[in-house]
Amino acid sequence: MGPAFMPAPDAAVLGERADLMIRTLGAISAEPNRLVRGFLTPEHRAAADLIGQWMRTAQLEVSEDALGTVRGHWPGTGSKRLLIGSHIDTVIEAGMFDGPLGVIVGILAAEHFAKAGRNLPFGLDVLAFGDEEGSRFAKTLSSSLAVAGQFDAERLELTDAIGVTLRQAITTFGRNPDDVAAAAYGRDTAAAYVEVHIEQGPVLEHRSQALGVVTAIAGQTYINVEFLGEAGHAGTVPMLLRRDALAGAAETTLLAEKMARDTQGEVVATVGMLRIPNAAANVVPGNVALIVDIRSGSDEARRKFVDTFKAEIRALADRRHLGVTMTDTRNVATTPCDPALQDGLAEAIRATGGEAIRLVSGAGHDGMAMAKLCPIAMLFVRCRGGISHNPAEYASPLDMGLAVAALIRFIENAKF
Ligand code: HGY
Ligand code: MN
Ligand code: MN
């Protein structure tokens, strides 16, 4: 069982260590002046190697699966394992904390038990996933879905922007695509999954709380909308005779914003990607595609929003004499966090002096995939100004240290 005495975790010291690790990992990027780390890229390889090194230093047993997920294992006296993880891939021009914070806090918490030689009744597995952001291949969460035993082999044929398939990218990364199935945990092994993540919103800061408990991960609908009008000469086509696809896309973007604002926060909608093939300043755009990201903590509210939104798009396309196609490329239900695990995290936060407020996550996470394997929970860490997916993203060393202390407390009290 190891020594009865274990030093109480020192949040300030742990926070400084976490901060140094975050900055060291944050320097691994495809570009010198901004953080870009895509799935199965050389930067992912370098980051995975660094994570593996930290896990070994923490006295964890390190392995890597076919999708590049690095695992650090600390054995327990029983066969079940508590899975702790997050992702190490990033969006383009990312912040350093989104993803890596959860892996680093997991390593520091597992190290607390490993260095004390304390074998709990369950094992600890820290997981560093490489594909949460979906910034390289169209479908995301491939690595956590594989761990959850839900990887669809068709994904191997997905191609990135230069035509490289996921299958080829796995091989280039040094892994074997035929081994994907071996990445999955058995349901009898995976007791639960806990993810620590920067909040990426302003609630904890507004409530002066370092930590919070997530109640659910908002459901998501992605709609690819494509308008077909008529390209024309910007100087000669009279305004009333135009079939301007970009004007249709612009009206759609403003419609999404207005409809979402009218829900008073129940639904959020974003157009973050718009494509104008053969764009030119002196050409009336004849073809424009956009992706609409729609999220809500309520599946019913999101479904109603999407139905109304699509009807309004068809009406505006008719008014503008545009053709329009709409394809749902993502439809993910709201993912609830396990109530008992939430209570365990709440008790741990209170033990570190917090109020343990509870909130919905508007951002998506690997927990959406892991919930298909086992009960999940998420611990949020205060995010300065609520800014994320932005180099200004920041969590303080002390808040990160409190997250480690709370996770240690959660693990000590957990019963699986
Ligand atoms: O889109 C999301 O919510 C996540 O950051 N991938
Ligand atoms: Mn993100
Ligand atoms: Mn994330």
Side-chain angles (χ1 to χ4, degrees):
M1 275 297 278
F5 169 75
M6 285 181 68
D10 180 330
V13 169
L14 287 163
E16 289 306 326
R17 288 186 59 196
D19 191 58
L20 179 60
M21 292 164 83
I22 282 273
R23 295 185 186 290
T24 308
L25 184 57
I28 300 177
S29 172
E31 299 180 21
N33 303 320
R34 58 183 189 166
L35 179 49
V36 181
R37 196 162 57 230
F39 181 37
L40 298 177
T41 59
E43 302 70 53
H44 177 192
R45 177 70 274 156
D49 291 345
L50 178 61
I51 294 281
Q53 216 178 309
W54 284 339
M55 287 177 171
R56 271 185 286 277
T57 309
Q59 292 177 210
L60 306 180
E61 187 189 305
V62 180
S63 60
E64 185 174 303
D65 71 21
L67 283 155
T69 296
V70 188
R71 301 177 200 216
H73 173 63
W74 173 246
T77 54
S79 60
K80 287 196 173 294
R81 298 184 186 194
L82 170 61
L83 312 182
I84 302 166
S86 195
H87 59 95
I88 56 175
D89 63 320
T90 75
V91 293
I92 297 168
E93 197 157 20
M96 287 188 275
F97 299 79
D98 172 7
L101 174 57
V103 176
I104 287 164
V105 167
I107 291 171
L108 293 174
E111 179 192 73
H112 176 81
F113 297 95
K115 292 246 168 131
R118 173 101 173 276
N119 296 98
L120 299 151
F122 48 88
L124 300 175
D125 275 20
V126 183
L127 304 167
F129 298 118
D131 178 38
E132 193 277 337
E133 295 294 1
S135 51
R136 179 173 181 185
F137 295 99
K139 289 193 173 189
T140 180
L141 301 181
S142 288
S143 34
S144 40
L145 283 168
V147 165
Q150 304 288 322
F151 182 87
D152 174 357
E154 282 174 18
R155 282 176 173 251
L156 291 171
E157 308 320 320
L158 287 173
T159 54
D160 66 8
I162 57 171
V164 175
T165 64
L166 175 52
R167 179 188 300 280
Q168 289 162 335
I170 291 171
T171 308
T172 308
F173 195 73
R175 295 285 149 209
N176 181 343
D178 297 338
D179 295 343
V180 167
Y185 282 98
R187 287 184 179 284
D188 50 351
T189 305
Y193 171 76
V194 175
E195 182 165 353
V196 179
H197 204 287
I198 188 167
E199 180 200 337
Q200 299 181 289
V203 173
L204 292 178
E205 184 178 64
H206 179 67
R207 296 282 298 273
S208 305
Q209 291 296 306
L211 307 175
V213 181
V214 176
T215 55
I217 303 171
Q220 299 178 10
T221 298
Y222 270 33
I223 311 171
N224 280 18
V225 183
E226 185 163 3
F227 287 105
L228 211 49
E230 185 171 58
H233 193 298
T236 59
V237 182
M239 293 309 290
L240 293 180
L241 297 183
R242 294 184 180 199
R243 295 198 298 124
D244 183 335
L246 181 53
E251 186 174 349
T252 300
T253 304
L254 291 175
L255 172 69
E257 183 191 50
K258 179 176 180 331
M259 281 181 60
R261 281 183 172 173
D262 289 351
T263 69
Q264 312 287 324
E266 191 175 36
V267 178
V268 289
T270 313
V271 175
M273 197 171 260
L274 182 137
R275 191 166 38 85
I276 312 172
N278 319 318
N282 60 353
V283 178
V284 175
N287 172 241
V288 173
L290 61 153
I291 298 177
V292 192
D293 175 323
I294 299 162
R295 307 191 190 195
S296 173
S298 151
D299 288 341
E300 181 54 21
R302 179 166 52 91
R303 188 190 58 73
K304 276 191 191 143
F305 183 98
V306 167
D307 291 349
T308 307
F309 183 54
K310 285 181 174 177
E312 293 292 338
I313 290 173
R314 277 189 282 276
L316 77 88
D318 286 348
R319 282 196 305 276
R320 291 177 171 275
H321 308 296
L322 295 173
V324 65
T325 59
M326 291 181 268
T327 316
D328 288 3
T329 54
R330 190 182 293 183
N331 221 329
V332 183
T334 298
T335 305
C337 292
D338 179 83
L341 296 177
Q342 286 186 48
D343 292 346
L345 286 176
E347 191 283 328
I349 294 174
R350 283 191 289 272
T352 61
E355 288 172 24
I357 66 170
R358 303 198 192 202
L359 63 166
V360 171
S361 172
H365 301 285
D366 287 298
M368 296 155 88
M370 297 301 284
K372 300 174 191 298
L373 173 68
C374 58
I376 70 158
M378 286 194 73
L379 176 69
F380 265 176
V381 180
R382 177 166 34 195
C383 176
R384 185 178 60 192
I387 296 170
S388 182
H389 282 189
N390 179 319
E393 183 183 80
Y394 176 80
S396 74
L398 183 55
D399 287 357
M400 291 193 281
L402 287 169
V404 180
L407 184 57
I408 288 169
R409 174 74 177 227
F410 170 83
I411 293 168
E412 278 170 340
N413 295 345
K415 292 190 180 30
F416 298 116

